[in-house]
Amino acid sequence: MTLRALTVLFVATALTFADLSFATSTTPTPPASGRIDLNLDGVEVRQALRMVADLSGHGLIIDEDITGTVTLKVRDLPWQEALDLILASKRLTTEPHGLALRVLNKAQQEERPATEFVAIPLRHLPVDQAAALVEGRPWQTTASPVSCGSEVAPPQPTSRATHQAATQPLASERGPNPSTAGPRLLSPRGQLLIDHAYPRLLIKDSPSRLATLQRLIALLDQPQRQVMLEARIVIADTTFSRNLGIRLGARWARGSSLMILPATLTDASPLAAATTDLLRIELDALEQTEKGRVIANPRVMTLNRTPAVITQGEQLPIQNSTTTNGSISTQTTYKDALLCLRVAPNILDNELIELDIEVHKDSRGRSLSSGNGQGAEAFPIDTHRLKTRVRVKHGETLILGGIYQEDRGDSQSAFPLLTDIPLLGRLFRSEGETRRNRELLVFLTPHLVDKQP
């Protein structure tokens, strides 16, 4: 081999080793332990991410809109933690993209809508109310207020078909209702479908909005508590309620016509009987001594903050006479004379129950002359009203009084045959009028259903 050939071979070998040395210096070898060292001072974020990719041996796809610089110094740190530090300093995030990781702005990921609908099932929250909450629309119930003399409106049938939520409020939700209206929880590009069949909401939105909606609906979709109301409506002598309160250790909540009996009695009986048991004994003794009677003992269960109405009574005929062309026609109409009890419970903390109570007592008054000469009977309707609001504990008994009525009666005693003697007959008969004042008492005991034994 000539000297010229040896020189060319030496130069080629040197260039080859130089290339290998340069390649080794620009492409670091990933450490076997997975831990890396970084010392960055004002380095561009894109270059720092490429260095992490080179040191970790994992592929990173970096979006074009990522800019800025980063200063970081770590030693012997797992590459995942070093990557998280860089991402957190610039509000960046990653998402899987094949075998690599895509690096993008966090705001861009949050505003990007999902590609599929996510179902949020509902167990207790009405689906229309949940939809109104998500869209920020006012919500108004369709049921009319429940009061004495009115009935609960029947629920409207709903379609079982899935339909898209309209931007126009439903007929039952129209009108201002600022107490229940709120901000729109869907993003401008979010979509909502309502499925009444299951029921559930179908929502398509960004991952962050979906997570927020799922947490909020799960917080609101809870079963509503229930209250069992046990009432005893009693007509008794005017002194009965006060004597009963003294015997059973009642406390006077507002004047002498409103008393609260404790849930249990520890001193009134050697057996520490419950108040309801002793109250039942007292009312039985009241009827046996003919000093009063229990006219109703209803029980009703209702949801929290939902009023319940109990009515009992009769319809009284009222005759109206009209004269047309000399002929008199009489029409009979009927008017309700009811005993009505309306109670709306509101459960507070520590087993306290706030009761909004309304009592109506209508009865037939004394007969009056109609004045039409036809012998038609006329009478007024005596009305009594009582409204109050009070707080009691679970199992306590509330006694409502203050509605009085007067019973009048005429009595006559006479000796047979002797009373028919002219002039002297009055000596053998006696007439009298009896009056008796009685009080209408309402015993009301609320029980929390989830506290029942």
Side-chain angles (χ1 to χ4, degrees):
M1 182 179 293
T2 62
L3 180 61
R4 187 183 183 92
L6 291 174
T7 302
V8 173
L9 180 61
F10 175 77
V11 173
T13 304
L15 291 175
T16 302
F17 279 107
D19 292 339
L20 292 175
S21 176
F22 179 77
T24 304
S25 61
T26 56
T27 306
T29 302
S33 62
R35 295 176 174 269
I36 61 175
D37 299 336
L38 286 178
N39 188 4
L40 308 176
D41 186 9
V43 179
E44 291 186 0
V45 177
R46 301 175 64 85
Q47 183 178 354
L49 293 173
R50 286 196 297 268
M51 293 179 62
V52 173
D54 293 339
L55 292 173
S56 64
H58 290 76
L60 294 179
I61 303 174
I62 306 172
D63 282 6
E64 294 294 334
D65 59 346
I66 295 178
T67 57
T69 59
V70 63
T71 298
L72 179 68
K73 182 177 181 180
V74 297
R75 185 175 183 82
D76 193 26
L77 192 70
W79 72 270
Q80 296 92 341
E81 296 185 14
L83 177 61
D84 292 338
L85 291 176
I86 298 175
L87 298 177
S89 64
K90 296 299 177 181
R91 286 188 55 82
L92 303 175
T93 185
T94 60
E95 63 180 20
H97 191 85
L99 298 178
L101 292 177
R102 179 187 173 187
V103 181
L104 68 160
N105 286 312
K106 186 177 294 185
Q108 180 182 357
Q109 185 192 47
E110 292 178 353
E111 295 300 328
R112 187 174 67 251
T115 57
E116 297 180 354
F117 281 94
V118 175
I120 302 180
L122 300 172
R123 299 182 57 188
H124 308 284
L125 187 66
V127 62
D128 291 329
Q129 183 176 356
L133 174 68
V134 170
E135 292 190 326
R137 294 185 282 108
W139 167 257
Q140 183 176 355
T141 58
T142 57
S144 60
V146 179
S147 61
C148 287
S150 66
E151 297 180 355
V152 182
Q156 299 295 329
T158 56
S159 174
R160 295 179 60 87
T162 302
H163 64 279
Q164 186 167 359
T167 56
Q168 175 109 10
L170 299 177
S172 61
E173 300 170 358
R174 292 175 186 158
N177 194 358
S179 61
T180 55
R184 178 181 169 90
L185 302 181
L186 284 176
S187 66
R189 291 182 291 180
Q191 299 182 35
L192 170 65
L193 299 179
I194 303 176
D195 189 356
H196 289 90
Y198 285 94
R200 61 183 177 177
L201 298 180
L202 303 176
I203 301 177
K204 180 192 292 187
D205 211 330
S206 62
S208 61
R209 294 292 182 101
L210 281 174
T212 302
L213 289 174
Q214 288 174 334
R215 289 194 299 268
L216 178 61
I217 293 177
L219 183 64
L220 297 177
D221 190 24
Q222 300 295 329
Q224 196 169 1
R225 302 182 71 180
Q226 299 184 94
V227 180
M228 171 68 77
L229 299 170
E230 182 179 3
R232 294 180 177 89
I233 302 174
V234 179
I235 294 180
D237 290 342
T238 54
T239 59
F240 172 76
S241 60
R242 190 170 187 86
N243 294 335
L244 177 66
I246 295 174
R247 288 195 298 271
L248 299 185
R251 68 177 188 271
W252 275 258
R254 189 184 302 168
S256 61
S257 297
L258 184 59
M259 296 180 293
I260 299 176
L261 301 181
T264 57
L265 298 175
T266 57
D267 299 329
S269 171
L271 300 178
T275 304
T276 54
D277 297 333
L278 291 180
L279 180 60
R280 189 180 301 110
I281 296 174
E282 292 282 352
L283 295 180
D284 291 342
L286 175 71
E287 291 185 323
Q288 292 178 3
T289 56
E290 298 183 354
K291 293 183 179 181
R293 60 190 179 91
V294 180
I295 61 176
N297 185 16
R299 291 186 179 185
V300 62
M301 183 183 296
T302 182
L303 292 174
N304 183 31
R305 306 181 68 178
T306 302
V309 174
I310 302 170
T311 59
Q312 178 180 351
E314 60 180 349
Q315 287 187 329
L316 302 178
I318 298 178
Q319 294 181 350
N320 298 318
S321 300
T322 58
T323 304
T324 305
N325 297 327
S327 61
I328 300 176
S329 60
T330 302
Q331 295 181 349
T332 302
T333 59
Y334 292 88
K335 181 177 178 59
D336 292 335
L338 302 176
L339 169 63
C340 175
L341 173 64
R342 175 192 179 274
V343 183
N346 183 19
I347 302 175
L348 306 176
D349 294 335
N350 301 324
E351 298 185 4
L352 280 176
I353 306 173
E354 185 179 72
L355 299 176
D356 190 358
I357 305 171
E358 181 179 357
V359 180
H360 289 192
K361 176 66 170 67
D362 298 339
S363 60
R364 176 174 177 169
R366 299 192 66 178
S367 178
L368 301 176
S369 175
S370 62
N372 58 7
Q374 301 299 320
E377 185 181 11
F379 50 85
I381 301 295
D382 295 338
T383 61
H384 301 83
R385 301 289 185 266
L386 188 150
K387 292 185 66 175
T388 186
R389 179 177 295 176
V390 68
R391 292 182 179 180
V392 298
K393 292 183 179 180
H394 159 72
E396 288 186 338
T397 300
L398 175 68
I399 305 178
L400 293 171
I403 298 179
Y404 299 94
Q405 63 183 34
E406 184 182 24
D407 296 337
R408 294 183 180 182
D410 297 330
S411 61
Q412 182 178 2
S413 60
F415 290 95
L417 300 177
L418 296 180
T419 58
D420 298 333
I421 300 175
L423 300 178
L424 297 179
R426 297 178 58 88
L427 300 176
F428 299 96
R429 66 174 180 267
S430 62
E431 297 178 353
E433 182 181 5
T434 60
R435 294 186 179 183
R436 191 176 187 182
N437 292 327
R438 294 198 170 190
E439 184 179 9
L440 178 70
L441 301 175
V442 178
F443 297 80
L444 189 61
T445 307
H447 296 279
L448 297 176
V449 174
D450 51 4
K451 294 292 184 180
Q452 293 279 17

